[in-house]
Each structure stands twice: as C-alpha cells, then as structure tokens.
Amino acid sequence: MTTSSPSSLAIEGSHVLITGGAGGVSSTATKEFLANGCCVTVLDKRSVANETLALTPEQKEQYFYVEVDLTSESSVEAAFVASNARFGPPCILIANSGTTEDNSRRPIWELDADSKAHATNIKETLLAVKHFLLSVKRFQESTGKELANVAIVVTGSPTAVFEQEGHVDHAVSEATLLHGFVRVVQNDIVRLNSKARINAVVSSPINTLWIEDRPGDQKVMDAEHRATVASKKGAKPEEVARTLLYLASHRATGHIRGVCLDAEGGIEGRAIWKEQQGPIRVGGQGLAPPIRRRRMRICLSVDFDGLSGYLGTGHDPHNTLSDYSAGLLSANVGVGRLLRLFTKWSISDKVTWFTPCHSLETFPDAAQQIIRSRAEIGLHGYSHEGAYSMTVEQERDVLEKCIDIVTKLQDGKRPVGYRAPLYQIRETTVQLLQDHGFLYDSSMNAHDALPYFLQNPFPVDEPHVPDYSQNASTWMMPTPIPSQPLRGSAEAENALVEIPGSWYTEDMTPLGFYPYSANTQGYVSVDVVEKMWWDRFDWLWENECWIDEGPGQGFGSVFPMILHPESAGRAHIVGMIDKFIAKLVARTRVAMNSEITFETFESVARSWKDGSS
Ligand SMILES: [Zn+2]
C-alpha cells in the first residue's frame, strides 16, 4: 500500500467552510485546518482577531472571512457565492454556529412564550447545510463529476442528553440537530454525492478563553461540569478541533456516517445542585432546597403631560400647531387606551398618575376618567415647569395651587407624591415637599431598584467643579454625601422617600419624538425597548430581590415604570405595553405567596418607611 498524501487525513488543498467561526473551538479549528494545508472560509457576524489566529503569510492567502447573518437565507446565499469565488466550492462544512441563552437559565414555567432561541439555532445549521449542498450540486452539474471528500460536521453540546436545569430552549435545538437532523441528512446526501457524509461532535465542557477570561468561572466549571468527568479535566479546544478534522476526512473515518461522536471526556451528567443552594438535606421529604423569599413590587406610573409638555420644559419657539396636537392625542386617545389596559389587567387602582394640573384643568373628562379608575394621583407641576427656571416663590405657588386642585378633585384626599417635570428637582423643591407634608418623590435615581431616604438639604454641598483659572488645590476635594438615616429614626421619619425614576425606566426617551428636544428619539422598535425592560426585571428577580439577604434585605426590590399617554398610548406602542403587562401579571400568578405585586408609589413608600416586606 502506498501513501500519496503527506498526512493520514488527506485533506490538503480542501476548501473548508466554518460557520460561527469566531468562537473558541472554531478559531482553533481554523488554525488546525490551515496547518493541514486547507483553505478556510469563516462565516460569522464577527471576525476573529488576527493576533488570535497568528497566521503565517502563506496562511493569510488561504484564509477568508465573510461577515454574514446566519439566520438570513439571502445573507447565507451571498456568503457562499463569495466563498466559492475565492477558493472554489467548499467540500467540508463545519456547522458550528448557534447561540444559547445560557445567561437566562429560566425553568420552563418562566420561559418566554415567544422565545425563538431553539428555532434560531436550528435555522442557522439548516441554512448552512442547505447552501453548502447546493454549492456541491452546482459544481457537480457544471463539471459532470462528484466533488471529492464532501463532509459535514455539526457541533453541539450534550444538553439534550444530560439534563441541565434552565436550558429547555437549548436542549430542544441540540436534540433536534444532533440526534434527528444528522441521521436524516446522512440518507439525503448520498443521493447527491455517493461518498458524502454528515456526522456530529458533542463537546462539553471546553476550556475556551470565554471561560478562562472570567474570574471565578473555574469554580463554576468545576461545580457544573468537571465533577462528573472521571479525568477531572475539561476538553481543550485543540482536542475538539482535531476531532472535527478527523470527521472531516474521508480517508481517516472510512465508513463512519450519521454518528454523534462524544468529545466531552466521559461526562456522566450535570451537577444540578449549586453550592449556594446550601447543604443537601436527606430525609423523609427527600431533597429540598432551603426556602428563600423574594419580593418584587411593580410600580406602574403614567405622566399625563398632555399639552403642558410643550409649555414648560418642552417649550420651544419653533413648536408648531402640529406639535401641540400630539398633546391632544395624549389626552383624548392615549389616556383612554391606557386606562382600558389597566382595567383589562385589573390593576387600575395600583397605578400612579403623575399629572400636571394644566392637563387636569384643560382635559376635565380625561381627569375624571383617571379619578374614577381609583388610581393614585401624584403631582407633576402645573405647566410642566422646570424647577431651575423658577424662583422659590414661584415653585411654592405652583405646588400649593396643584395641591389644592388635586385635593378638590379627590374629595379632600391630598396628594402625597411628586415627580418633577423632566426630573428637574432641586434642593428647594425637596424642602417645599417636606414643608407640605409629602411622603415621597420619584424624580431621582441614586438607586434603580430600591427606595431610599431623601435627606434635606440634598446634596449637602455642591460638588467642586474644576475652575481652571484657579490653583488646582481649590477644587480637589471630595463631595460630602449624606448617609442614609436608620429606619425609625427621627431623621428617617422626616425624610421624603425617594422611589427612583429615570430616563431608563420610561417609554418617552426611546419611543417619543419631540422635534426640538435633543433627548427624545422616537424611531426605535418596541421589541428593543421591551427587551430592555425585561432585562432589568429578570436580573433583579434572579439577583437582588431576596428578602433574606443582599441589597434588598428586609424589603426586596422595586420595579418602577414611567409611561406617557403621548407615546405609550400610540397604536404602534400600546400593544407592546399590553404584552409587557400581561407577562408581568403572569409572573405574579406563578410567584409564591404574593412575592410579586402591583402597587402604587404611595403604597411602596409607606412600606419602605414602615420597614415591611
Ligand atoms: Zn412629564
């Protein structure tokens, strides 16, 4: 027997196409294929840093990167055209793309019903294999001969075999691809190319840079993976990459086809008990995690700015009649839509409306609808005035007139909450609110998920801004920050409660558009904004809303939201608000013992002051 090839793989000169090539295993595989004399095209949405690949001048000529959206068929098709033009038809495909939502780790009952993570994973692989085989087909039709060494290797993880909590989405796609797709396609492809084959490699855990770069993750790896691997080591990227090379070579693998090869070191399962869950208790009740209590208060608020949004802080001499008409939409359309939404979800009396009194007096019908909904009414200026534009006397006059209007509207119930128009609150505002017996403010954000006490004056001293005409020693000094008073102390009793509100917790910043205001945007997909809100909720739910420990100890977390009828009430946005509230309501229903509640700002402020969870 003679050997015509310099290696046992006999893949020199082959064109290898790798999808998802920017990952740790893929970049290692890229180097290995290049070292074996192959040309390599990498398809991914980001490229690998040159220094990571450390290519020789010769290898640079054999390497090609194409930026691609692997979920878009037209993008994948174009990428194959480009790679064919560079190196001819690829004969080896390493289908290594796919994303996981590992960070979410939600059990199935908390899974987003609209999640498409598994579908995305499957689609990326399906599109790559489809266009790879189409490329083979076109070559064969134009030349009348079979392309040599046609091999597909699909990569994946053992999630679907070794149960891993919180990975339903991932497991669905891995099971489909590794144990269904590969076995079916092995029969299809021989109709196209008699020697073609498809196999899969399962590889986990892998010591990629992604793991090593994160301090502390070694411990996670030990707990979650290595505990069940007899050799007590994770796979190295080179080890997995060489398994890919092996399966890519017809010469090396002979008749192996349709198999799923394990490259995970003999893993026997997942560690499903985390260290932070405490000791395992064995008894009549079996294994049970220690009871941990959570608390999340959802505070929905509506700032009904109406026309006043264009009078005070939103005044601009260029404002037109058309701009003002958006204020009419706010009152005549947006308010009704939001009120009907709150009724639909039975939370009308858990919502706080911060309402400029100009809106209440200009739109009495809308005002009456809000009052009848039994919502809490907080103050928000008269004409949406900016505090820094007024004298203290003007601020007092505005506040007292607004207290009077709202008290009369509510049959004698005084308002206890305040949000400054455009969050423009200053020390004198705090003093005025205290002088008039207010319970809380919601204009600041020294925290984003916990109330705190707002001392007066605030701040104690102006921060020293560098005055470059003076000696540097005149401004180099720390800013005194008052410490939080102890709950129950006289200072705490007299302090306003601050329930945070900010640009990040509202709809108007991204979804509203004021032509002459720099801080509005307007042309943003509601999906993006909804995701931002969910990211906040989920992170707090997983990390900080514990009553027994952590930053929310004794209280939990608060989730404040600020909506505006002028933006949230518009037809292209209100549907997202509806879905968002529906999901929040669903969470309240699956949560234990009223862990999640909708509450007014007043209710939250009183709980904070009382120290009740
Ligand atoms: Zn406002």
Side-chain angles (χ1 to χ4, degrees), residues 527-575:
D527 293 342
V528 173
V529 177
E530 187 191 0
K531 183 173 184 309
M532 283 177 63
W533 295 350
W534 268 118
D535 286 347
R536 179 159 61 98
F537 187 94
D538 277 338
W539 192 87
L540 292 170
W541 182 250
E542 291 299 328
N543 296 281
E544 283 198 357
C545 68
W546 303 106
I547 296 176
D548 310 286
E549 61 188 41
Q553 192 167 21
F555 184 81
S557 293
V558 65
F559 186 76
M561 289 292 308
I562 304 167
L563 307 174
H564 296 76
E566 190 181 325
S567 45
R570 285 187 186 269
H572 68 286
I573 301 172
V574 72

Side-chain angles (χ1 to χ4, degrees), residues 303-305 308-309 313 354 356 380 384 419-423 514 564:
D303 289 5
F304 174 22
D305 295 341
S308 76
T313 58
F354 292 97
H380 194 46
H384 214 267
R419 175 172 296 139
L422 214 66
Y423 311 120
Y514 279 58
H564 296 76

Side-chain angles (χ1 to χ4, degrees), residues 74-135:
S74 58
S75 181
V76 171
E77 197 169 10
F80 270 87
V81 170
S83 64
N84 269 263
R86 180 66 185 262
F87 296 132
C91 63
I92 295 169
L93 171 68
I94 306 297
N96 186 55
S97 65
T99 54
T100 65
E101 295 205 335
D102 271 1
N103 291 332
S104 65
R105 291 183 182 262
R106 289 190 214 156
I108 188 167
W109 58 86
E110 287 180 11
L111 202 64
D112 184 346
D114 298 326
S115 171
K116 297 184 179 65
H118 59 280
T120 303
N121 273 353
I122 294 167
K123 186 177 183 183
E124 288 187 359
T125 303
L126 193 142
L127 284 177
V129 171
K130 172 184 171 180
H131 285 276
F132 169 75
L133 293 174
L134 273 176
S135 156

Side-chain angles (χ1 to χ4, degrees), residues 372-393:
R372 281 200 300 272
S373 78
R374 297 190 294 126
E376 182 199 353
I377 311 292
L379 298 192
H380 194 46
Y382 185 90
S383 303
H384 214 267
E385 300 86 354
Y388 290 86
S389 304
M390 290 187 283
T391 63
V392 176
E393 289 69 33

